């Protein structure tokens, strides 16, 4: 049986898909025994949705920029993708499944030295299907861009994004995941940062019944900087995991992880943060913070910050907190006439707002994320 | 005619504890300013908490009626919307909530209760400017998060500013003078005096007589051991100044 997914795909891809499918079959879906997945309930995946392609909307590409569907580029210029569509060593089963099955996605490529002021926008809606979306983000040396991503609709997603930032490149990435409550959203993003490159991701995990945001950043060039700002606002039986992994592979790199969660109902939040500094990662400055507020006795958080440091000259910090809304503040707001839901909403928003307020985004995009947070805070209050 | 606030034989406690208020009766009419004085532990803060319906307190006997209706079952926010205002002894810092945003939500919650339309941003700012000039308050307080990084004096002035904005019928000032130096005390007192109104009752709870030098009450009560042990008009305050209230406390 041929492993081809697209009608006209290059042979090298079909061959790689077959290898990837073998890898997936050998490994099987992650289970509770896989540390990085132990809190993600994948039972929902066994109920199969028809596989297909997401409705994908991309904003127009400015001069000097490739911003196009992956299927289009595969048909027109597959040689540009041959080195990029590969299964990395150590890729997990779902990443392998993605390579075996993806039918579309997008490619963003910005030429060296090009600065894009206007953000590029991509939105995807699974329309009830199971979708393996694959994305490539390539910023040449000294290039800069802002990418705003929105995941809507229902279905299940197994998305893989692979980003490479050349020396001195600068990427701002904002993602709003607001899929329907019956959805499963699994996302794995891997980033490689060259010397002096600078990346920030702001990820809001608001929708979907089960979601997982894995962001693995390899700081491979001296002086690179990476920041992850994340928030999960969950109610009902929702479950969300953030799995950021920061690898300080070069000297004098800086990384920040700030992830906040608010959980009501019997929701379950998970933070598995990792900072790895192998020998040679001297001058590392890394910080990792996870803060949570539980709104109900049935809500739950598992937070596991992890540091692995083999270099000497390193500054690393990590902290995790789990608490409740401040009763004194609630009473203060109520004593000024605000009904309890309004008072709670104000405090939830205030708790989560700095994830977006402090993000380095153009004002309209920041405001749109603020509105989303505000809306979800209201549903939780 | 019934008074605005009628407290009768009020017994109350912190949930699970012993009674702290042991039979308080107090009658406050519109336009009146009452001072409630007493030593630490007399029950002053419990009284203000119970009047504002702070969670964690139980009324075990007696009644509180406000505007002719029993408010025993009325929650804090509803009391506030009906015109009861508590100026906190320790105003709460709320990081991330902008003072202006909070105050506008509060003003509009109270206006809705009165059947008045919401103030839009520009109407609200007009009202803010008017009240700020009345109280001589700097507008940089409004750009910050609620009470965050405010000095003790700024926090208390912010309480009085909120009172000016919310225009309550009954204002309870809980130890508003505590922790203020003399200039801040004067500024806060000036603010309260400007908010005296024939349609507004003020109950100020204080440990120190000096507040009464700045805000002259119509009535003075001494609270000791959970009861009001003596009451009088403003001349009683001057009398207390000479005699102190230790002898009344012993009598309780």
């Amino acid at each position: 049986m041929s492993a081809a997914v697209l009608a006209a795909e290059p042979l090298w891809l079909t061959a790689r898909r077959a290898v990837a499918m073998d890898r997936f079959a050998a490994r099987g879906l992650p289970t509770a025994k896989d540390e990085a997945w132990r809190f993600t309930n994948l039972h929902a995946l066994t109920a199969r949705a028809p596989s297909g392609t997401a409705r994908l909307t991309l904003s127009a590409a400015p001069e000097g920029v490739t911003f196009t569907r992956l299927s289009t580029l595969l048909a027109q210029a597959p040689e540009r993708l041959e080195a990029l569509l590969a299964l990395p060593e150590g890729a997990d089963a779902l990443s392998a499944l993605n390579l075996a099955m993806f039918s579309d996605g997008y490619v963003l490529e910005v030429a060296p030295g090009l600065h894009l002021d206007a953000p590029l926008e991509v939105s995807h809606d699974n329309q009830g299907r199971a979708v393996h979306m694959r994305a490539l983000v390539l910023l040449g040396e000294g290039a800069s861009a802002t990418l705003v991503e929105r995941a809507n609709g229902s279905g299940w997603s197994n998305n893989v994004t692979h980003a490479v930032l050349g020396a001195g490149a600068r990427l701002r990435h904002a993602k709003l995941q607001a899929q329907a409550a019956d959805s499963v959203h699994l996302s794995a993003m891997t980033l490689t940062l060259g010397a002096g490159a600078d990346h920030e991701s702001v990820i809001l995990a608001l929708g979907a019944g089960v979601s997982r945001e894995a962001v693995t950043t390899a700081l491979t060039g001296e002086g690179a900087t990476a920041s992850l700002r994340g928030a999960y606002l969950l109610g009902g039986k929702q479950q969300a995991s953030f799995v950021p992994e920061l690898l300080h592979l070069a000297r004098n790199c800086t990384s920040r992880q700030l992830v906040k969660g608010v959980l009501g109902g019997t929701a379950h939040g998970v933070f598995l943060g990792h900072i790895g500094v192998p020998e040679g990662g001297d001058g590392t400055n890394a910080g990792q913070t996870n803060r949570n507020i539980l709104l109900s006795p049935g809500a739950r958080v598992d937070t596991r910050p992890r540091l692995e440091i083999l270099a000497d000259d390193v500054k690393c910090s990590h902290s995790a907190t789990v608490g409740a809304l401040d009763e004194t503040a609630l009473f203060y707001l109520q004593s000024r006439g605000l009904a309890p839901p309004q008072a709670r909403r104000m405090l939830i928003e205030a708790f989560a707002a700095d994830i977006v307020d402090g993000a380095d985004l153009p004002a309209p995009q920041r405001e749109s994320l603020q509105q989303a947070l505000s809306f979800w805070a209201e549903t939780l209050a | 005619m019934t008074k605005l606030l009628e407290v009768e034989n009020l017994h109350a406690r912190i949930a699970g504890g012993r009674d702290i208020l042991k039979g308080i009766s107090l009658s406050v009419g519109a336009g009146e300013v009452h001072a409630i004085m007493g030593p630490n532990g007399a029950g002053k803060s419990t009284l203000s908490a119970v009047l504002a319906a702070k969670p964690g307190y139980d009324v075990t006997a007696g009644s509180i009626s406000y505007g002719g209706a029993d408010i025993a079952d009325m929650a804090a926010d509803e009391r506030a919307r009906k015109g009861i205002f508590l100026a906190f002894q320790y105003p709460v810092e709320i990081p991330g909530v902008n003072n202006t945003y909070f105050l506008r939500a509060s003003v509009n919650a109270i206006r809705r209760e009165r059947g008045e339309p919401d103030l839009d941003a520009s109407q609200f700012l007009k009202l803010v400017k008017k009240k700020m000039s009345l109280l001589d308050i700097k507008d940089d307080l409004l750009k910050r998060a609620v009470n965050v990084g405010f000095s003790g004096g700024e926090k208390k002035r912010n309480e009085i500013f909120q009172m000016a904005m919310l225009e309550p019928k009954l204002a309870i000032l809980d130890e508003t003078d505590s922790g203020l130096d003399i200039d801040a005390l004067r500024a806060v007192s000036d603010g309260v005096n400007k908010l005296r109104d024939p349609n507004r009752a003020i109950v100020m709870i204080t440990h120190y007589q000096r507040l009464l030098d700045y805000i002259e009450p119509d009535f003075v009560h001494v609270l000791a051991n959970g009861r009001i042990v003596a009451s009088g008009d403003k001349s009683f305050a001057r009398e207390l100044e000479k005699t102190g209230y230790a002898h009344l406390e012993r009598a309780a």
Side-chain angles (χ1 to χ4, degrees):
Chain A
M1 195 184 95
S2 163
V5 173
L6 298 165
E9 67 180 39
L11 282 174
W12 56 260
L13 178 57
T14 306
R16 286 177 195 178
R17 286 188 192 277
V19 171
M21 190 50 107
D22 287 347
R23 171 93 63 99
F24 171 72
R27 290 202 169 189
L29 279 176
T31 67
K33 286 180 189 153
D34 294 276
E35 181 60 28
W37 287 86
R38 57 181 290 196
F39 297 108
T40 304
N41 178 356
L42 292 178
H43 289 310
L45 290 188
T46 55
R48 296 197 62 161
S51 64
T53 303
R55 186 168 62 207
L56 200 60
T57 315
L58 304 177
S59 59
E63 188 80 26
V65 175
T66 301
F67 191 41
T68 183
R69 285 168 173 274
L70 183 58
S71 56
T72 308
L73 202 58
L74 263 176
Q76 292 170 355
E79 68 284 356
R80 283 174 64 186
L81 297 168
E82 187 165 358
L84 298 161
L85 289 177
L87 192 62
E89 279 304 310
D92 67 18
L94 281 149
S95 293
L97 184 63
N98 176 286
L99 186 64
M101 301 283 287
F102 81 84
S103 56
D104 211 348
Y106 62 92
V107 178
L108 167 61
E109 186 168 12
V110 183
L114 187 61
H115 297 276
L116 300 181
D117 290 327
L120 296 158
E121 310 218 12
V122 55
S123 64
H124 33 100
D125 178 341
N126 286 5
Q127 304 183 93
R129 300 193 188 100
V131 177
H132 305 267
M133 195 182 82
R134 199 159 185 103
L136 291 165
V137 178
L138 310 166
L139 266 56
E141 276 189 24
S144 71
T146 301
L147 175 66
V148 178
E149 187 185 349
R150 289 187 175 79
N152 302 309
S154 67
W156 76 263
S157 305
N158 175 34
N159 297 347
V160 170
T161 303
H162 182 51
V164 181
L165 277 63
R170 185 170 171 277
L171 177 65
R172 295 295 175 260
H173 169 233
K175 175 175 174 183
L176 174 60
Q177 186 271 105
Q179 285 194 253
D182 61 356
S183 305
V184 175
H185 183 93
L186 307 175
S187 165
M189 184 170 187
T190 56
L191 295 123
T192 304
L193 273 59
D198 174 9
H199 170 70
E200 179 183 271
S201 262
V202 185
I203 300 178
L204 304 186
L206 306 176
V210 175
S211 73
R212 188 175 191 272
E213 296 290 345
V215 182
T216 302
T217 309
L219 301 157
T220 62
E222 181 163 2
T225 302
S227 163
L228 170 70
R229 315 174 70 89
Y232 41 97
L233 268 59
L234 311 172
K237 296 178 190 167
Q238 277 182 289
Q239 188 199 91
S241 306
F242 269 82
V243 190
E245 187 170 12
L246 266 301
L247 303 173
H248 285 255
L249 306 177
R251 297 166 64 88
N252 301 324
C253 294
T254 302
S255 70
R256 291 287 174 270
Q257 303 168 36
L258 175 64
V259 177
K260 288 188 169 187
V262 182
L263 302 102
T266 55
H268 184 185
V270 178
F271 177 82
L272 299 172
H274 179 217
I275 299 170
V277 189
E279 280 178 48
D282 293 299
T284 284
N285 184 332
Q288 179 184 65
T289 305
N290 174 231
R291 299 199 187 292
N292 298 278
I293 283 186
L294 303 183
L295 301 174
S296 65
R300 175 180 157 190
V301 165
D302 287 281
T303 175
R304 301 277 167 94
R306 193 159 65 92
L307 306 179
E308 255 178 322
I309 298 165
L310 298 174
D312 292 327
D313 173 21
V314 167
K315 227 171 115 180
C316 277
S317 65
H318 63 109
S319 75
T321 59
V322 181
L325 286 182
D326 180 351
E327 291 293 331
T328 322
L330 273 178
F331 173 59
Y332 190 75
L333 296 175
Q334 285 172 51
S335 79
R336 299 301 183 251
L338 304 181
Q342 198 182 1
R344 281 197 295 271
R345 192 194 101 180
M346 232 178 234
L347 294 184
I348 293 169
E349 253 188 275
F351 173 75
D354 65 336
I355 295 296
V356 175
D357 293 353
D360 181 21
L361 289 171
Q365 280 67 32
R366 189 166 49 234
E367 277 158 26
S368 140
L369 294 186
Q370 282 163 338
Q371 279 167 18
L373 263 191
S374 180
F375 173 81
W376 286 83
E378 191 169 359
T379 65
L380 282 187
Chain B
M1 207 187 90
T2 52
K3 296 280 190 100
L4 179 67
L5 176 70
E6 295 274 6
V7 177
E8 269 184 36
N9 188 35
L10 183 68
H11 288 65
R13 58 176 63 167
I14 293 175
R18 283 180 305 181
D19 276 359
I20 295 171
L21 303 184
K22 300 167 183 171
I24 289 193
S25 294
L26 178 68
S27 178
V28 179
E32 296 173 359
V33 175
H34 289 240
I36 297 179
M37 312 200 47
N40 285 329
K44 300 189 304 290
S45 285
T46 302
L47 178 61
S48 65
V50 170
L51 290 175
K54 182 174 182 177
Y57 290 82
D58 291 339
V59 171
T60 51
S63 67
I64 306 170
S65 103
Y66 170 74
D70 189 327
I71 57 167
D73 296 329
M74 202 182 269
D77 55 304
E78 196 181 347
R79 289 188 195 189
R81 292 194 297 272
K82 299 249 186 240
I84 297 178
F85 177 87
L86 172 65
F88 281 53
Q89 180 179 4
Y90 302 109
V92 182
E93 297 191 7
I94 313 184
V97 176
N98 173 272
N99 215 8
T100 306
Y101 168 69
F102 152 63
L103 201 52
R104 189 172 153 210
S106 177
V107 164
N108 283 334
I110 288 168
R111 286 178 64 87
R112 254 171 258 160
E113 180 81 21
R114 294 188 200 135
E116 295 165 1
D118 281 13
L119 294 184
D120 65 26
S122 76
Q123 292 166 318
F124 175 76
L125 282 178
K126 213 177 270 178
L127 182 66
V128 164
K129 285 216 175 84
K130 191 174 122 189
K131 301 293 185 182
M132 278 195 318
S133 70
L134 175 73
L135 299 181
D136 191 23
I137 282 186
K138 285 177 291 184
D139 66 351
D140 65 319
L141 290 191
L142 290 164
K143 291 173 189 144
R144 297 195 242 159
V146 179
N147 292 320
V148 176
F150 289 23
S151 70
E154 285 173 334
K155 283 182 182 170
K156 297 297 175 85
R157 287 175 78 163
N158 192 35
E159 294 291 287
I160 302 308
F161 174 63
Q162 290 178 26
M163 175 177 160
M165 290 295 293
L166 301 179
E167 302 181 330
K169 289 188 198 127
L170 171 64
I172 301 150
L173 313 182
D174 186 11
E175 310 256 5
T176 291
D177 52 330
S178 71
L180 296 184
D181 64 28
I182 206 74
D183 290 333
L185 176 61
R186 187 173 289 130
V188 165
S189 305
D190 285 351
V192 173
N193 284 326
K194 283 174 183 159
L195 298 173
R196 288 178 83 144
D197 186 293
N199 295 314
R200 176 171 300 137
I202 297 175
V203 175
M204 48 185 188
I205 291 171
T206 180
H207 186 77
Y208 298 105
Q209 306 227 359
R210 64 169 191 175
L211 179 64
L212 310 191
D213 296 338
Y214 296 93
I215 307 170
E216 191 176 272
D218 301 306
F219 301 95
V220 178
H221 312 274
V222 176
L223 181 64
N225 195 22
R227 285 187 199 90
I228 286 175
V229 293
S231 296
D233 61 11
K234 57 186 129 187
S235 64
F236 181 51
R238 282 191 283 274
E239 195 182 307
L240 279 173
E241 211 167 315
K242 291 188 204 109
T243 63
Y245 43 67
H247 65 291
L248 298 167
E249 202 182 330
R250 279 192 295 276

